[in-house]
Amino acid sequence: MRLFVSEGAPGCLPVLAAAGRARGRAELLISTVGPEDCVVPFLTRPKVPVLQLDSGNYLFSTSAICRYFFLLSGWEQDDLTNQWLEWEATELQPALSAALYYLVVQGKKGEDVLGSVRRALTHIDHSLSRQNCPFLAGETESLADIVLWGALYPLLQDPAYLPEELSALHSWFQTLSTQEPCQRAAETVLKQQGVLALRPYLQKQPQPSPAEGRAVTNEPEEEELATLSEEEIAMAVTAWEKGLESLPPLRPQQNPVLPVTGERNVLITSALPYVNNVPHLGNIIGCVLSADVFARYSRLRQWNTLYLCGTDEYGTATETKAVEEGLTPQEICDKYHVIHADIYRWFNISFDTFGRTTTPQQTKITQDIFQRLLTRGFVLQDTVEQLRCEHCARFLADRFVEGVCPFCGYEEARGDQCDKCGKLINAVELKKPQCKVCRSCPVVQSTHHLFLDLPKLEKRLEEWLGRTLPGSDWTPNARFITRSWLRDGLKPRCITRDLKWGTPVPLEGFEDKVFYVWFDATIGYLSITANYTDQWERWWKNPEQVDLYQFMAKDNVPFHGIVFPCSALGAEDNYTLVSHLIATEYLNYEDGKFSKSRGVGVFGDMAQDTGIPADIWRFYLLYIRPEGQDSAFSWTDLLLKNNSELLNNLGNFINRAGMFVSKFFGGYVPEMVLTPDDQRLLAHVTLELQHYHQLLEKVRIRDALRSILTISRHGNQYIQVNEPWKRIKGSEADRQRAGTVTGLAVNIAALLSVMLQPYMPTVSATIQAQLQLPPPACSILLTNFLCTLPAGHQIGTVSPLFQKLENDQIESLRQRFGGGQAKTSPKPTVIETVTTAGPQQIQALMDEVTKQGNIVRELKAQKADKNQVAAEVAKLLDLKKQLAVAEGKPPEAPKGKKKK
Amino acid sequence: MAAAAELSLLEKSLGLSKGNKYSAQGERQIPVLQTNNGPSLTGLTTIAAHLVKQANKEYLLGSTAEEKAIVQQWLEYRVTQIDGHSSKNDIHTLLKDLNSYLEDKVYLTGYNFTLADILLYYGLHRFIRLTQPPQPPATTTLINEEPFTWRQNPPPARRLTS
């Protein structure tokens, strides 16, 4: 669940103080929003704090949020607490908001402020002394105390507003204020500034009306409630009636895809994953999956679309990995390129081409851009002091050096940073430096390096950004990061490295050096396109006709928003520059980070072995896409979303709609005679569909997914209210009504199948096969809701789309992937796993692996229940891991295999 | 409708036989219930929740933590927002918000009928003319409902395989 707070919003006090009650029972993320941001979609006026529950529901009442936290901790509601909370809402709050407004916004003092709340304060004081209890609802502190304390604290923390004579109130207030959760909440909200901390929030609020004189009239509201105009309804009906006719012809699929003059040409890239690691779910959602949804959507709109990606293969890390695995860098790249390609294939990523950076084209294009920059005076040369290992005959990259930290004396500090004190280190400052490969002592030598003269290009960059950013769909974080780089002033960037595994530098005296990833990784998009088509320049040197969307996680923004545009602008060769830079925030795993070295989290290749289909992974990752803020992967939540949103909402609706056609109408879509109610539903669905388009055009992928779920909720409600299963047994009119409801519902299901296509391509295809949706309707999504399954259309065989996920299945997966233990080992434990076991233990484990392997094979041969197989496979993998550990081998990554 | 009358109606529909006597307090005429075996209870939603428990119909207060919190949220909404506003503009905004909230719901908590629906129905009653022919879209689910017949959800069309 997510708590939305705002600077200085008084309601945050009780909520934060109560939040501790829910700790360990639910995961709570906290987001700060502006005082005027509308967080709750159905409320016209802004409201904070707000708690968004995992179900999607919102709690926008401060008391209700606190109550919820208390309920989670097992507390039970009682009359006395209810009474206090009702009093707080109806009596205390109006008085208190007036007092705070006078004090903070209008600068009034003394009795002017106190006057409005005195009666309420006296009421609390009397109640406390009359009951002779330390707390409002008894002997222990409870919900009522927290809510009232939180409401009163901003005012009463100033002793001037806590009248001496109210002694019971006094001691109650002091007791609570010294409690740890309350203290912390107070510090967070008031920040040691006292009541003035509320000013930014209260200033934005309307002046509270005086508590008196809120007369109630019995006059009925005259105005008609109409969220839909007659025109909107009429237009929706017309579009619906036109049906399949209004679909344009399908664009012919060309190969290779090239820009077409006069069409919208969309070029989509996702950040090139680094080849030396298996990608985790965070990498997948940040880059390839997000870009894939957009690419699929773009094709549904019939835009001319090219989506490309590939592995980024050059660099130190590849060399290191090669040394580790005893392979050549090229062999490492070949091995991991296949692993990556397999994972993305399993996730159904619809690349037009998935290439790699270690190609002759990469060398050619990089060197060309470099030469042009050099000729135009945008490259600097400078001398750098660097450690060189005489024994290995090479300059040492930072991560190849270890030594004593110059700051804290830690013995195993790395060349770039000390693991103990965390300070950044310049490698030449390390005491007693050691080459990590041969352990001999390197010497300091000066060496030449090349620098990209960014300060000289800064002005061009700003001009370009000034033209590009307004009206574009750059995400706020991308804008922010780019702006903050510019604000701090650009500095020359070193673009060469002392390595062998890279693009050679075509300049005399630099024969031993290669280009640094800062410079050439982003050129990979160009070279990958060049390997796809020799007409690559029609995409990359065509800024007038090509719309370039680049997807990445936010750490990649400087490469794409600053460095590459500078290189391209300096090269003066009319390059296509990014029009829309789409950056995600980070995805966390359960409570911590994904960590390969600690084996925490789900990595691309393991997702396949969980028994959970790729589309479910896609759905959940997109549902929690870190769009605008960090988010976290949670197994429990995955189960919840699968069982509630997919199974009960979407799957249930689509299945019912299809089943009614099969069961009641022999598989033929019945005649539909639309009533005004049905027409209104048409218009509602059309509105939601248009909303979906608006969001996806702005690449708000996560939000657009909610439109799909909203439509299916509408659909479920429509079926529920109209009860076709009853009407089918009724009179002729009832039967006709059942037919209309069924026909409309199955058409909504058809629409959903197309809207779902970018998110869950396999499920989408399954629905379309079940409904026998005509081919053009499967591949084109218009902005109107059409009748694509007219009366008389025959559908296919309908079957359930989703499987329920069970608790024990999810629990075993959670344990397998080490969630929850993430915090316990702050240091990588690679070394610890090398403790080897005795030969007997190893033999015993080997026997168990063999045994378990047989069980799995047998089950698979018998075509046993999927969940059962998955559970046994999980056991097998676990045993294999134990065996690997016992043998002192690093646990082997399961091979990327294709699985149905 | 005065609060006392509303509470008496609620008692009746809950099947509570003996009618309680209510007094009213202050300028806003807040209802007070004098119970036999304890202190008095003050406030419309507090008393309503008490009556629900008395009638052994706790499910009307929600069954999960989430539902309980949502029910209480809307009860609070009833006494602070619906009872607290009188200008036409405010009421319009309020009805618009409720309408958009109810767009994809049958009841305030989703699919279960609760005390929140009853009290909101009473609270809104004075703003909505039931005779109005072109009924507004989503609020209709609320106002056209006979409030005290619990609508059964139809059985899911397909069994969940497990």
Side-chain angles (χ1 to χ4, degrees), chain A residues 41-45 53 55 57-64 67-68 71-72 77-80 82-83 85-86 88-91 119 212-227 647-648 651-652 655-656 659-660 680 684 710 713-714 716-717 720-721 725 800-804 806, chain B residues 1 27-28 30 40-47 49-50 53 61 65-66 68-70 72-74 76-77 79-80 83-84 86 88-93 95-106 109 111 126-129 132 134-137 139 141 151 153-158 160-162:
Chain A
F42 52 84
L43 291 185
T44 309
R45 304 219 168 93
L53 302 170
S55 61
N57 277 328
Y58 291 91
L59 292 178
F60 53 85
S61 138
T62 302
S63 307
R67 186 187 290 262
Y68 179 62
L71 285 165
L72 283 182
Q77 323 195 66
D78 59 82
D79 287 342
L80 194 50
N82 286 346
Q83 178 171 284
L85 264 50
E86 185 174 358
E88 193 269 338
T90 52
E91 302 286 324
R119 220 174 71 184
E212 281 79 33
R214 286 180 303 170
V216 166
T217 78
N218 276 322
E219 288 248 296
E221 181 59 42
E222 302 273 343
E223 271 172 49
E224 241 229 76
L225 277 176
T227 48
L647 193 68
N648 290 347
N652 197 31
N655 192 251
R656 284 167 99 183
M659 284 308 284
F660 291 154
R680 211 178 343 258
H684 267 297
T710 303
R713 260 190 286 272
H714 279 314
N716 269 323
Q717 201 199 359
Q720 199 152 324
V721 169
W725 64 93
L801 298 167
F802 302 109
Q803 288 236 325
K804 190 172 182 187
E806 299 294 345
Chain B
M1 171 165 40
E27 63 211 88
R28 292 203 295 120
I30 303 158
S40 62
L41 285 175
T42 309
L44 176 72
T45 67
T46 305
I47 297 172
H50 173 80
K53 275 184 269 183
L61 298 174
E66 180 172 329
K68 286 175 188 165
I70 291 175
Q72 294 293 335
Q73 159 163 289
W74 289 107
E76 187 193 276
Y77 190 87
V79 288
T80 56
D83 294 353
S86 50
K88 213 166 173 180
N89 239 350
D90 283 346
I91 300 298
H92 185 74
T93 310
L95 291 178
K96 195 170 125 258
D97 288 359
L98 270 175
N99 190 57
S100 116
Y101 176 73
L102 287 170
E103 205 101 68
D104 58 357
K105 292 180 185 61
V106 182
T109 58
Y111 292 110
R126 61 198 170 94
F127 300 126
I128 302 175
R129 269 185 305 182
Q132 223 166 11
Q135 60 278 65
T139 357
T141 45
R151 186 156 69 197
N153 292 346
R158 108 188 117 83
L160 310 176
T161 48
S162 53

Side-chain angles (χ1 to χ4, degrees), chain A residues 34 80 118 222 256 444 521 643-644 677 875 894:
Chain A
L80 194 50
R118 192 182 285 277
E222 302 273 343
V444 176
N643 294 355
S644 63
D677 266 347
K875 273 191 210 158

Side-chain angles (χ1 to χ4, degrees), chain A residues 454-464 486 490:
Chain A
L454 292 179
K456 221 170 167 179
L457 289 160
E458 192 167 332
K459 207 167 151 250
R460 293 186 195 198
L461 182 76
E462 291 206 44
E463 280 168 12
W464 166 70
L486 281 170
L490 300 182

Side-chain angles (χ1 to χ4, degrees), chain A residues 173-185:
Chain A
F173 183 73
Q174 296 304 342
T175 311
L176 285 163
S177 297
T178 50
Q179 298 208 348
E180 214 250 340
C182 295
Q183 254 179 11
R184 251 189 300 139

Side-chain angles (χ1 to χ4, degrees), chain A residues 431-463:
Chain A
K431 292 183 199 155
K432 296 194 205 153
Q434 274 194 339
C435 167
K436 249 182 113 173
V437 178
C438 70
R439 292 286 155 201
S440 60
C441 177
V443 293
V444 176
Q445 237 184 42
S446 54
T447 171
H448 288 294
H449 275 296
L450 295 173
F451 291 77
L452 186 60
D453 194 350
L454 292 179
K456 221 170 167 179
L457 289 160
E458 192 167 332
K459 207 167 151 250
R460 293 186 195 198
L461 182 76
E462 291 206 44
E463 280 168 12

Side-chain angles (χ1 to χ4, degrees), chain A residues 46-280:
Chain A
K47 192 93 177 59
V48 230
V50 164
L51 184 70
Q52 186 183 15
L53 302 170
D54 293 338
S55 61
N57 277 328
Y58 291 91
L59 292 178
F60 53 85
S61 138
T62 302
S63 307
I65 298 174
C66 296
R67 186 187 290 262
Y68 179 62
F69 289 146
F70 270 78
L71 285 165
L72 283 182
S73 74
W75 168 82
E76 290 198 24
Q77 323 195 66
D78 59 82
D79 287 342
L80 194 50
T81 305
N82 286 346
Q83 178 171 284
W84 273 117
L85 264 50
E86 185 174 358
W87 179 81
E88 193 269 338
T90 52
E91 302 286 324
L92 180 61
Q93 273 304 338
L96 205 52
S97 14
L100 285 173
Y101 197 83
Y102 298 149
L103 178 65
V104 178
V105 182
Q106 301 184 332
K108 292 185 182 164
K109 290 205 165 56
E111 200 51 37
D112 284 348
V113 174
L114 199 52
S116 51
V117 285
R118 192 182 285 277
R119 220 174 71 184
L121 296 182
T122 313
H123 172 73
I124 303 176
D125 183 70
H126 284 185
S127 304
L128 283 165
S129 50
R130 204 169 46 229
Q131 309 165 28
N132 206 13
C133 275
F135 296 102
L136 295 173
E139 290 298 331
T140 52
E141 171 213 324
S142 181
L143 175 61
D145 301 285
I146 295 294
V147 171
L148 268 78
W149 171 85
L152 291 166
Y153 185 81
L155 189 66
L156 299 194
Q157 47 88 34
D158 183 348
Y161 297 105
L162 182 46
E164 285 281 341
E165 69 272 18
L166 304 178
S167 60
L169 174 66
H170 216 275
S171 76
W172 169 83
F173 183 73
Q174 296 304 342
T175 311
L176 285 163
S177 297
T178 50
Q179 298 208 348
E180 214 250 340
C182 295
Q183 254 179 11
R184 251 189 300 139
E187 271 168 30
T188 313
V189 178
L190 297 189
K191 302 193 169 86
Q192 318 272 345
Q193 300 167 20
V195 73
L196 287 181
L198 305 185
R199 189 198 287 261
Y201 181 81
L202 292 179
Q203 269 176 337
K204 305 270 181 196
Q205 304 304 312
Q207 179 171 1
S209 52
E212 281 79 33
R214 286 180 303 170
V216 166
T217 78
N218 276 322
E219 288 248 296
E221 181 59 42
E222 302 273 343
E223 271 172 49
E224 241 229 76
L225 277 176
T227 48
L228 291 168
S229 67
E230 292 303 321
E231 286 93 331
E232 279 173 308
I233 296 176
M235 272 163 66
V237 173
T238 316
W240 155 269
E241 280 169 351
K242 269 200 184 152
L244 288 167
E245 277 171 37
S246 40
L247 288 176
L250 265 180
R251 293 189 79 246
Q253 196 61 45
Q254 30 157 281
N255 190 19
V257 184
L258 291 172
V260 179
T261 312
E263 282 196 33
R264 175 148 191 215
N265 300 298
V266 180
L267 177 58
I268 301 169
T269 71
S270 60
L272 306 181
Y274 200 67
V275 79
N276 77 327
N277 253 333
V278 178
H280 60 64

Side-chain angles (χ1 to χ4, degrees), chain A residues 8-21:
Chain A
C12 299
L13 265 165
V15 164
L16 290 175
R21 297 281 172 156

